[in-house]
């Protein structure tokens, strides 16, 4: 709007200058230059000053809007750069976290040369308070197959129940269909861990068939015994948190809190092979 008004003033000033210049030429021709020139000077000098000021003002307006445009372009570029850096920062954090987990797995690999691993990522998990099933981003193409154990950095997570070419599915140690040979670390007592919907709803594993005379205490650590074709020996499963005697069968029903953190489990290892125990 300001530029449009400036343009109108500019045209008016030019028109006035042309008219007054014509009058000056005419007055000189007829010999009446003196008085008329004074009148023209009286009018044209302020107009000329106003015209110069108007031109300067228009130039300043142009510079102002030019600067605004440049600043906007710079701001847009800075915003884009900030977005790029933020994305790179998040990716760097993710890579760093994954590397830390892999380093912990490397310690396990160095300690357990009898076990062969392949890393995978959990890409989906069952809904609810506790994870009873999960999906991995690796499958038979990567060497993963059914009935292979899945572990976190320091404990058993579960077992593969289905394997496709590029994915696999499994159940966690609290799943209703789970079964594993276990050993109580403190006493060496062996038993069997089996699934239960009731226990799974509380985020717990269950051990049954232990005689009431057995030495089992709350706080005892439970590990895999190594018997069978799924779990290598000496992998931590969890800790005893409740013991319920059964008066009819003279056995103990033992609740075990899993050591695996189902909520934070993202990067896992699938055990593709191990030295089996037969005695």
């Amino acid at each position: 709007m300001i530029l449009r008004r400036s343009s109108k003033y500019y045209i008016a000033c030019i028109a006035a200058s042309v008219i007054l210049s014509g009058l000056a030429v005419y007055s000189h021709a007829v010999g009446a230059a003196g008085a008329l020139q004074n009148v023209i000077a009286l009018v044209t000098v302020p107009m000329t000053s106003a015209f110069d000021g108007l031109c300067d003002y228009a130039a300043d307006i142009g510079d102002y809007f030019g600067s605004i445009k440049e600043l906007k372009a710079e701001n847009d570029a800075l915003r884009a750069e900030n977005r790029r850096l933020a994305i790179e920062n998040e990716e760097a954090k993710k890579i760093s976290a994954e590397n830390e987990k892999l380093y912990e797995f490397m310690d396990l690999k160095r300690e357990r040369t009898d076990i062969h691993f392949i890393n995978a990522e959990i890409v989906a998990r069952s809904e609810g308070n506790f994870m009873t099933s999960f999906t991995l981003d690796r499958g038979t193409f990567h060497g993963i197959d059914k009935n292979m154990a899945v572990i976190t950095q320091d404990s058993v997570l579960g077992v593969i129940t289905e394997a496709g070419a590029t994915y696999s599915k499994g159940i966690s140690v609290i799943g209703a269909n789970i079964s594993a040979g276990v050993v109580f670390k403190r006493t060496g007592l062996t038993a069997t861990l089996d699934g239960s919907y009731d226990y799974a709803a509380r985020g717990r594993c269950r051990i049954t068939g232990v005689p009431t005379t057995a030495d089992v205490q709350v706080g005892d650590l439970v590990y895999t015994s190594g018997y069978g074709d799924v779990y290598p020996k000496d992998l931590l499963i969890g800790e005893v948190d409740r013991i319920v005697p059964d008066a009819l069968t003279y056995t103990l029903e033992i609740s075990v809190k899993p050591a695996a953190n189902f909520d934070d489990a993202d990067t896992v290892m699938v055990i593709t092979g191990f030295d089996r125990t037969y005695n």
Side-chain angles (χ1 to χ4, degrees):
M1 187 67 182
I2 294 174
L3 292 177
R4 290 180 180 177
R5 291 179 180 176
S6 299
S7 299
K8 291 179 181 179
Y9 293 150
Y10 174 73
I11 294 171
C13 290
I14 292 176
S17 298
V18 171
I19 293 171
L20 292 173
S21 297
L23 290 174
V25 173
Y26 174 76
S27 64
H28 181 73
V30 299
L36 186 57
Q37 285 179 352
N38 290 334
V39 174
I40 292 173
L42 182 64
V43 176
T44 57
V45 168
M47 290 184 65
T48 301
S49 298
F51 177 71
D52 291 340
L54 183 60
C55 291
D56 293 340
Y57 176 73
D60 291 340
I61 290 294
D63 292 340
Y64 172 77
F65 282 105
S67 299
I68 291 295
K69 185 176 181 180
E70 292 176 359
L71 288 173
K72 185 178 183 303
E74 291 178 3
N75 287 337
D76 290 342
L78 288 173
R79 290 192 186 97
E81 180 67 10
N82 286 337
R83 285 193 295 270
R84 184 184 67 80
L85 292 174
I87 293 172
E88 290 182 354
N89 186 45
E90 289 301 317
E91 291 177 349
K93 287 181 180 179
K94 182 178 179 181
I95 292 173
S96 177
E98 291 176 354
N99 286 339
E100 288 181 5
K101 292 179 180 179
L102 290 176
Y103 284 141
E104 294 177 3
F105 281 122
M106 288 300 295
D107 291 338
L108 181 60
K109 282 185 175 182
R110 284 191 289 268
E111 294 173 2
R112 299 296 302 269
T113 56
D114 59 315
I115 301 177
H116 305 286
F117 305 89
I118 182 172
N119 65 292
E121 294 287 327
I122 295 178
V123 294
R125 64 187 71 207
S126 58
E127 297 181 356
N129 294 330
F130 304 100
M131 182 182 71
T132 56
S133 63
F134 53 86
T135 302
L136 304 181
D137 65 346
R138 300 288 180 94
T140 56
F141 179 80
H142 307 92
I144 294 176
D145 210 343
K146 186 177 178 180
N147 293 326
M148 288 182 173
V150 183
I151 64 172
T152 63
Q153 297 95 315
D154 54 8
S155 58
V156 175
L157 181 73
V159 62
I160 299 297
T161 57
E162 176 186 340
T166 57
Y167 76 94
S168 53
K169 295 182 179 182
I171 57 174
S172 68
V173 290
I174 65 172
N177 297 321
I178 203 76
S179 180
V182 298
V183 59
F184 293 86
K185 197 69 173 179
R186 182 176 61 85
T187 62
L189 175 69
T190 59
T192 300
L193 181 148
D194 57 5
S196 164
Y197 287 107
D198 291 339
Y199 277 75
R202 301 196 301 269
R204 296 293 187 267
C205 309
R206 182 183 69 171
I207 296 175
T208 58
V210 177
T212 55
T213 56
D215 181 9
V216 180
Q217 300 176 10
V218 171
D220 280 349
L221 296 180
V222 179
Y223 285 74
T224 53
S225 63
Y227 296 110
D229 294 328
V230 177
Y231 302 99
K233 65 179 180 179
D234 293 332
L235 296 178
L236 177 62
I237 291 180
E239 177 181 333
V240 174
D241 68 346
R242 192 180 66 165
I243 303 171
V244 179
D246 188 329
L248 294 178
T249 62
Y250 298 100
T251 60
L252 301 175
E253 188 167 288
I254 301 169
S255 172
V256 178
K257 180 181 179 181
N261 189 332
F262 298 145
D263 292 334
D264 293 337
D266 292 315
T267 301
V268 298
M269 284 285 179
V270 180
I271 297 176
T272 56
F274 62 94
D275 295 341
R276 285 163 172 76
T277 299
Y278 296 103
N279 51 38

